[in-house]
Amino acid sequence: MRSAPEDLTARSRIRDAAIELFGRDGFSATTVRSIAKASNTSPALLLHHFVSKDGLRTHCDGYVVETIRDLKREGVISASQTELIAQLSAIPELQPLVWYLRRALQDGGPAAAEFFDQLVADAVIYMEEGVATGRLRPTRDPKMRALMLTTMAFGPILLGEHIGRHLGTDGYDADAQRRALPVMLEIFTDGVFADRDLIDSLQAQLKEDQS
């Protein structure tokens, strides 16, 4: 049975309000009543659409993941996980997604685990496409590379307060991102180690450990 158009509009308003409040105040502190008030609906209508606050959170998780996936497909943001947070933060209307991502990973739990796993799985696919087109180098372990780059992408948002202390910025804000991105590009294109003997020694040690 299809919902009436006005119900779909209300459902979207509830979802958008929940994403903003969950991200700003946390899942535990946000109530069904506060979401209903922010979305100009009612607690009863929220429960009609999503059954419970947990059900709404699960829906929001899926929506945020799918939104990021669509933005990558459309070329609004690049497929690079290392630039994900910086690019989302640069688009004002997507700021609630950034808050939501941060809070989801901080709070943990089954929903956050599923959420993170989906991002890693998506990263594997995007990077395979990059290798196929020649934009990315191949790797001996695609899953591990996707996992590490996804983790690095969320480092700045989880540690934004500490980054801001060092840079004199408001967390990992636009100024911090402008300063960070050239260095990140340098790291990923030129590397860090200059001592060839050190690199060969580390690679030899890795081979020995894996044999």
Side-chain angles (χ1 to χ4, degrees):
M1 176 178 175
R2 291 181 60 115
S3 299
E6 57 270 22
D7 287 338
L8 292 175
T9 300
R11 183 180 176 88
S12 298
R13 292 204 313 272
I14 292 169
R15 178 202 65 218
D16 291 346
I19 288 173
E20 184 166 353
L21 292 177
F22 283 153
R24 188 189 71 191
D25 302 331
F27 297 104
S28 298
T30 301
T31 65
V32 167
R33 187 173 298 278
S34 65
I35 297 170
K37 181 178 180 180
S39 60
N40 196 29
T41 58
S42 68
L45 186 59
L46 185 154
L47 296 175
H48 166 72
H49 282 298
F50 301 103
V51 181
S52 66
K53 190 174 78 169
D54 285 342
L56 176 56
R57 175 182 176 176
T58 299
H59 176 76
C60 290
D61 280 353
Y63 175 80
V64 171
V65 170
E66 188 60 34
T67 297
I68 293 172
R69 187 182 296 131
D70 289 344
L71 290 170
K72 288 185 175 183
R73 288 197 190 107
E74 295 165 9
V76 177
I77 57 176
S78 79
S80 171
Q81 295 296 83
T82 59
E83 301 173 1
L84 174 63
I85 298 302
Q87 292 185 32
L88 289 174
S89 298
I91 304 174
E93 57 267 30
L94 297 182
Q95 192 64 49
L97 298 188
V98 177
W99 297 338
Y100 188 91
L101 289 170
R102 177 185 60 199
R103 187 68 69 169
L105 294 174
Q106 286 176 333
D107 284 9
E114 183 177 352
F115 184 71
F116 184 80
D117 291 350
Q118 184 61 61
L119 289 173
V120 173
D122 287 347
V124 171
I125 295 171
Y126 300 139
M127 289 177 194
E128 286 177 347
E129 293 172 352
V131 171
T133 59
R135 294 179 62 238
L136 299 178
R137 298 179 186 275
T139 176
R140 63 176 62 85
D141 192 336
K143 172 66 180 293
M144 182 56 71
R145 179 164 72 171
L147 176 60
M148 290 297 97
L149 289 176
T150 300
T151 302
M152 292 172 66
F154 284 99
I157 192 172
L158 294 174
L159 299 173
E161 176 185 351
H162 303 290
I163 292 173
R165 284 192 300 103
H166 281 269
L167 300 181
T169 57
D170 184 16
Y172 193 58
D173 62 9
D175 183 49
Q177 292 162 33
R178 281 193 295 268
R179 294 169 64 181
L181 286 177
V183 178
M184 293 299 296
L185 183 61
E186 174 187 295
I187 291 170
F188 282 103
T189 56
D190 300 331
V192 175
F193 295 127
D195 186 338
R196 187 69 246 181
D197 290 338
L198 174 61
I199 296 172
D200 291 342
S201 174
L202 290 172
Q203 290 177 334
Q205 185 62 51
L206 285 172
K207 290 180 181 178
E208 182 178 333
D209 291 344
Q210 294 170 358
S211 62

